[in-house]
């Protein structure tokens, strides 16, 4: 878990720092199940999402963690209500 956490942290911090289309990246674990993670990601548009998936730091994350992840499921969403402090 420590190696996975380091890879996630590196990838998320780089994405936020260098990709203007990455608006937010959040990672949380399910209470009582620290190895069960959920990610919430927000992009400016579809092109920003696709650019993120092709970025060197994301590709590095995928390669580094490919043997650490036992299950992955993507839920694409539509905006319903988004609220944030500025």
């Amino acid at each position: 878990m420590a190696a996975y956490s380091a890879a996630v942290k590196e990838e998320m911090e780089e994405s936020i720092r260098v990709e203007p289309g990455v608006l937010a990246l959040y990672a949380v674990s399910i209470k009582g199940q620290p190895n069960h993670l959920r990610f919430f990601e927000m992009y400016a548009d579809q092109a920003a999402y696709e650019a993120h998936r092709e970025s060197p730091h994301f590709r590095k994350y995928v390669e580094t963690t490919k043997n650490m992840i036992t299950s992955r499921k993507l839920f694409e969403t539509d905006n319903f209500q988004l609220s944030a402090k500025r």
Side-chain angles (χ1 to χ4, degrees), residues 4 8 11-12 25-28 37-41 61:
Y4 183 80
V8 167
E11 191 279 327
M12 290 174 75
L25 299 173
Y26 300 105
V28 298
L37 302 175
R38 299 296 182 264
F39 294 85
F40 181 75
E41 305 176 4
Y61 158 79

Side-chain angles (χ1 to χ4, degrees), residues 25-51:
L25 299 173
Y26 300 105
V28 298
S29 63
I30 295 175
K31 192 171 288 243
Q33 298 178 320
N35 293 341
H36 291 244
L37 302 175
R38 299 296 182 264
F39 294 85
F40 181 75
E41 305 176 4
M42 292 179 61
Y43 300 91
D45 52 30
Q46 185 66 31
Y49 171 70
E50 291 168 10

Side-chain angles (χ1 to χ4, degrees), residues 14-84:
E14 183 77 2
S15 296
I16 292 294
R17 189 173 61 77
V18 304
E19 293 183 67
V22 176
L23 303 179
L25 299 173
Y26 300 105
V28 298
S29 63
I30 295 175
K31 192 171 288 243
Q33 298 178 320
N35 293 341
H36 291 244
L37 302 175
R38 299 296 182 264
F39 294 85
F40 181 75
E41 305 176 4
M42 292 179 61
Y43 300 91
D45 52 30
Q46 185 66 31
Y49 171 70
E50 291 168 10
H52 171 70
R53 304 259 315 159
E54 296 299 321
S55 69
H57 46 275
F58 182 77
R59 288 182 174 271
K60 177 183 175 187
Y61 158 79
V62 169
E63 182 63 28
T64 300
T65 62
K66 68 182 179 187
N67 295 321
M68 299 177 193
I69 299 172
T70 59
S71 175
R72 182 184 320 233
K73 186 170 186 178
L74 174 65
F75 294 93
E76 293 192 19
T77 63
D78 292 318
N79 293 343
F80 179 74
Q81 172 62 40
L82 303 173
S83 301

